[in-house]
Amino acid sequence: MLPIDLIIGSIGSEVLVVLKNGETIIGHLQKVDSWMNLQLTSCVWTSQSGMTFKEFEHCNIRGIMIQNIQVEEERFDKLKEETELIREKARQEKALAAANDE
C-alpha cells in the first residue's frame, strides 16, 4: 500500500495537514491528485504558535507545502483490509491460471 493510496482512501473524511512552516489545517478531504495537492472543505487553519485560528469554507493545499498528513485510524484499518483482500484474490487467480496451464 502506497501513501497516496491511503490519502485517496481518506476522501470524504477529516484529515489534519501539517505544513512545512508549522501551520496546521484540519478539514474534510474532497480531492487529491498525484502531486498530493489537496482540496479540503470546512477547514480550520491554526498558526504555528497555536494562538490564531481561522475558518474557511474551502482550502487548496499544494503538495510541496505538506510536511505530514494524519488520517482517521479507521480509514487506515479499512484500507489495509481491502488491500489484503485484493492481494489474496490476485494470488488465487494466479494459482488458478497456473493450474490451468498445466
Side-chain angles (χ1 to χ4, degrees):
M1 173 175 51
L2 298 172
I4 192 70
D5 294 332
L6 180 58
I7 304 301
I8 291 169
S10 297
I11 291 176
S13 67
E14 189 173 81
V15 295
L16 168 70
V17 181
V18 180
L19 303 178
K20 288 182 180 178
N21 63 4
E23 298 171 349
T24 61
I25 301 172
I26 298 174
H28 289 86
L29 183 62
Q30 299 301 311
K31 291 183 183 179
V32 61
D33 64 16
S34 58
W35 292 281
M36 223 175 291
N37 296 320
L38 307 178
Q39 190 175 75
L40 306 175
T41 57
S42 303
C43 307
V44 177
W45 168 86
T46 307
S47 67
Q48 184 178 8
S49 65
M51 301 299 289
T52 308
F53 300 90
K54 290 186 182 177
E55 292 186 27
F56 298 97
E57 189 174 326
H58 298 282
C59 181
N60 293 312
I61 305 170
R62 291 190 62 198
I64 192 107
M65 298 301 298
I66 297 172
Q67 177 182 4
N68 186 334
I69 301 173
Q70 295 179 15
V71 299
E72 296 174 342
E73 193 169 338
E74 299 90 34
R75 292 286 183 161
F76 179 77
D77 294 339
K78 182 180 175 186
L79 186 61
K80 190 174 179 182
E81 290 172 8
E82 290 173 359
T83 302
E84 280 301 315
L85 289 173
I86 291 169
R87 286 182 181 165
E88 183 60 32
K89 185 177 178 181
R91 282 188 209 115
Q92 290 173 355
E93 289 175 357
K94 188 175 182 180
L96 183 61
N100 288 339
D101 288 342
E102 293 176 359

